[in-house]
Amino acid sequence: MTDITHDTTDLIEPRRGIVEKGWEWARANLFNSIFNSILTLLITGFIVWLAVPLFNWAVLDATYSAPNDAACKARGGACWAFIADWYKFLLFGRFPEVSRWRPALVILIFVAMMLLSSQARLKGKHLLTMWAGGVVISVALMFGGFLGMPYVETELWNGVPLNLLLTVGGCGLAFPVAIFAALGRRSRMPAIRWLSIAYIELIRGVPLITVLFMATVMVPLFLPTGMTIAKLWRAEVAFTLFFGAYLAEAIRGGLQVIPRGQYEAADALGLGYWRKTWLVILPQALSISIPSLVNTSISAFKDTVLITVVGIFDVLGDVNNAMNAPEWRSAYWEGYSFVALLFFAVCFYMSRYSQRLERSLSRARPGRR
Amino acid sequence: MAVQESAKPQTAGQPMIELRNVNKWYGDFHVLKDINIGVRKGERVVVCGPSGSGKSTMIRCINRLEEHQKGQIFVDGIELTGDVKHVEAIRREVGMVFQQFNLFPHLTVLQNLTLAPIWVRKMPKKDAEELAMQLLARVKIPEQANKYPGQLSGGQQQRVAIARSLCMKPEVMLFDEPTSALDPEMIKEVLDVMVGLAQEGMTMICVTHEMGFARTVADSMIFMDQGQVVEVAPPKEFFANPKSERTKLFLSQILSH
């Protein structure tokens, strides 16, 4: 990655020591007044007070290989031996051991797609195709049952691939739902408007756990006898409905700031409702709502860990299960740090990606309102 | 479209646009009171009047951006009713230019022009782009085709907006205070385009305070006040000896500076 904001003066000025330049910068920014100097010292002290023990715990005193947590206790630091011993289970859960390369490949596919998405060369249409294709291929890989890969039922789909698939699949399916709900909420037809409002407000008014329980526990009661839908798909429907309501509100926020003149100009050209909406209003509304859409997607990704409550084991569920092993009973700090880092990496990436997207959109259309 | 053909028994003397006893209310507020206007094909009409007189509302009724509650409006022989097909048929034939330009900011100038021809007239993309470039040349900004509206000056944006309307090959053009949002030095470039249009025989209704433009171009002047048509006259007569006191007062205010 190249830093576009780098200072060009160091190309012109004769080279000076980095220490000298650093000191000048610090004097100008950190010690430019008595109050700022005190503040700088205080904050530095606080960081040191926090970072040194953390570093000792996580690196210096850590144990990287040990048979059980008792062996770690002696050294007092982090017990990464637990992660080293159990990482396959944390990532893939109860997925049959011989086939674990499949969920591993799914994770790789998702990482590759995330990296490819930040390539400026790829256009929206291609990205959409890529993600849709990636999700389909991933689901096929998880299932197996072809090309000599043994079939694996959804009950055994655990760990990180589940979080990734639930997020992307859920948001992907929720997006069209959200567009129609957002448009419906602004419709002049009362039936459509009230239906949209009812959907959005009902879903937003209850916790995700409730929706998950409804989908997994109550839906089977209404199904005809003999008909079953795998618990995972029921949960996916719940996520879709839940994310859809929140995405709808994000999109509605974008719709609200489109000036009335845009609608009138499209009307005056005779575009009609659907063409006006798809060609003029939505493209503008969606690009305005990017920050809140990404925000919703980030929460969606984090929300997928709630699936544990209905007995489907995602990465957090796997960690909890792993700590049931008698030899690693006290390794929860390490287990949860592992999950936290994983989630932070993905969420941070998403947030950076949205910032870049906003910048490139505003560069493409200067003077945009 | 079937609607157009069946509802268009046009005869020579029939007006292009006709308003019969049109009334409109915003709640209790009576904005348009018994408006009767006829505009022949090729006629240029300038509508003026103090702000709040209902002149913008009146022309916005002609392509149903506003709904009238009483009376009848005919455009090219088709009556404007709640019927969506009639409304869309009329909007295809009537171009409109707004005070605030209302260009689509997410599309380039060229895309702004070709959007409606491609999607409404089903014109092949290549033909639409050719037509668009011709019209951009006519409003004298072909070199801006690939810029976004936000990169253009107000005068340029308004000329693009005129070209965008012309791309639909309208029978009638409505102008709703096209120069009111412009800096003074840009007004002329827009008026020049409008004069050119008038000379080519376009049927036009312009709401404007540009009295110089009205004098050169208008076949007839309409003065509105408090939701009523107060005076209709050819421009010579209208400026030389207005009949009504209200017209005299308005003209003295608008021409004094």
Side-chain angles (χ1 to χ4, degrees), chain A residues 223-228:
Chain A
L223 288 177
T225 42
M227 187 182 168
T228 52

Side-chain angles (χ1 to χ4, degrees), chain B residues 113-132 135 166-169:
Chain B
L113 265 67
T114 55
L115 186 77
I118 291 173
W119 289 92
V120 181
R121 293 257 189 250
K122 310 288 179 208
M123 200 185 273
K125 190 175 176 217
K126 213 172 141 239
D127 297 1
E129 284 179 352
E130 214 166 278
L131 173 67
L135 288 167
L166 292 176
C167 249
M168 286 295 282
K169 301 188 174 151

Side-chain angles (χ1 to χ4, degrees), chain B residues 20-180:
Chain B
R20 287 187 205 153
N21 295 317
V22 170
N23 281 275
K24 179 173 175 58
W25 289 263
Y26 287 129
D28 287 339
F29 182 56
H30 201 170
V31 234
L32 296 178
K33 301 169 187 163
D34 285 324
I35 306 284
N36 284 290
I37 290 173
V39 178
R40 279 171 289 110
K41 193 170 171 56
E43 194 176 358
R44 274 89 59 177
V45 176
V46 167
V47 184
C48 62
S51 62
S53 59
K55 52 198 194 307
S56 280
T57 310
M58 190 269 287
I59 76 161
R60 286 161 60 85
C61 280
I62 296 173
N63 64 353
R64 212 172 175 83
L65 291 181
E66 305 279 354
E67 231 169 276
H68 59 283
Q69 278 103 31
K70 228 178 104 190
Q72 288 172 300
I73 299 177
F74 295 90
V75 178
D76 210 4
I78 311 171
E79 189 181 355
L80 260 181
T81 56
D83 188 331
V84 181
K85 288 219 166 109
H86 282 210
V87 173
E88 287 185 3
I90 283 167
R91 283 173 175 168
R92 280 195 290 270
E93 307 308 322
V94 178
M96 184 157 200
V97 175
F98 300 87
Q99 185 178 350
Q100 299 295 341
F101 332 135
N102 296 347
L103 294 175
F104 305 133
H106 62 300
L107 300 176
T108 63
V109 165
L110 190 65
Q111 289 167 335
N112 262 280
L113 265 67
T114 55
L115 186 77
I118 291 173
W119 289 92
V120 181
R121 293 257 189 250
K122 310 288 179 208
M123 200 185 273
K125 190 175 176 217
K126 213 172 141 239
D127 297 1
E129 284 179 352
E130 214 166 278
L131 173 67
M133 287 312 295
Q134 279 172 20
L135 288 167
L136 283 178
R138 185 157 147 198
V139 299
K140 300 189 183 67
I141 36 175
E143 72 282 359
Q144 312 286 0
N146 293 313
K147 287 197 182 163
Y148 285 93
Q151 294 168 291
L152 305 185
S153 73
Q156 290 172 325
Q157 289 195 46
Q158 193 60 298
R159 285 184 284 157
V160 171
I162 294 173
R164 178 175 70 178
S165 288
L166 292 176
C167 249
M168 286 295 282
K169 301 188 174 151
E171 297 279 331
V172 186
M173 287 285 283
L174 307 175
F175 292 85
D176 188 3
E177 306 208 27
T179 56
S180 304

Side-chain angles (χ1 to χ4, degrees), chain A residues 66-356:
Chain A
N68 55 39
D69 54 3
C72 297
K73 278 248 171 69
R75 286 178 55 91
C79 193
W80 300 125
F82 164 61
I83 307 290
D85 199 21
W86 279 80
Y87 77 94
K88 280 185 185 154
F89 184 83
L90 301 186
L91 290 175
F92 314 123
R94 295 172 298 148
F95 206 87
E97 270 196 75
V98 282
S99 303
R100 272 185 182 160
W101 62 273
R102 281 151 53 185
L105 188 58
V106 168
I107 295 177
L108 281 181
I109 289 175
F110 272 84
V111 171
M113 288 197 296
M114 278 166 71
L115 293 177
L116 277 173
S117 298
S118 49
Q119 293 287 310
R121 268 171 292 149
L122 285 172
K123 281 189 197 148
K125 221 189 293 172
H126 301 139
L127 285 178
L128 209 66
T129 325
M130 180 184 81
W131 280 95
V135 170
V136 171
I137 292 170
S138 300
V139 170
L141 270 173
M142 295 296 278
F143 264 126
F146 60 97
L147 290 178
M149 292 186 277
Y151 174 80
V152 176
E153 56 174 330
T154 54
E155 285 287 309
L156 298 177
W157 298 14
N158 294 165
V160 178
L162 204 57
N163 295 91
L164 295 172
L165 281 171
L166 284 172
T167 311
V168 178
C171 287
L173 294 174
F175 196 62
V177 175
I179 287 179
F180 283 106
L183 291 173
R185 195 166 184 169
R186 293 165 60 84
S187 169
R188 282 206 207 118
M189 285 175 269
I192 292 180
R193 189 172 61 242
W194 287 110
L195 215 64
S196 305
I197 292 177
Y199 159 64
I200 293 171
E201 295 306 333
L202 196 73
I203 298 281
R204 292 205 315 156
V206 295
L208 175 56
I209 293 188
T210 319
V211 184
L212 276 170
F213 274 129
M214 295 263 282
T216 51
V217 180
M218 286 178 63
V219 166
L221 300 179
F222 298 108
L223 288 177
T225 42
M227 187 182 168
T228 52
I229 303 172
K231 200 165 24 165
L232 180 63
W233 303 134
R234 283 180 263 143
E236 179 71 340
V237 170
F239 277 120
T240 301
L241 288 177
F242 191 79
F243 299 157
Y246 282 88
L247 289 173
E249 286 297 281
I251 294 170
R252 191 168 69 99
L255 286 171
Q256 265 168 341
V257 295
I258 306 295
R260 204 171 65 142
Q262 293 290 311
Y263 292 86
E264 288 180 351
D267 281 338
L269 287 168
L271 284 174
Y273 178 80
W274 289 109
R275 290 189 204 116
K276 171 176 72 179
T277 305
W278 291 115
L279 301 169
V280 176
I281 306 303
L282 270 182
Q284 297 185 56
L286 291 181
S287 86
I288 291 167
S289 6
I290 283 174
S292 34
L293 289 175
V294 174
N295 210 14
T296 310
S297 309
I298 290 175
S299 348
F301 181 56
K302 293 187 290 189
D303 283 348
T304 55
V305 299
L306 280 173
I307 200 166
T308 315
V309 302
V310 293
I312 299 175
F313 298 109
D314 73 315
V315 63
L316 189 64
D318 286 346
V319 169
N320 287 330
N321 285 342
M323 287 183 310
N324 285 336
E327 65 270 33
W328 299 112
R329 206 134 280 204
S330 63
Y332 44 87
W333 265 95
E334 293 74 10
Y336 292 140
S337 301
F338 174 80
V339 178
L341 273 175
L342 198 95
F343 274 84
F344 177 77
V346 176
C347 294
F348 186 67
Y349 181 85
M350 276 158 89
S351 129
R352 290 301 297 253
Y353 177 65
S354 98
Q355 284 171 17
R356 281 179 53 148

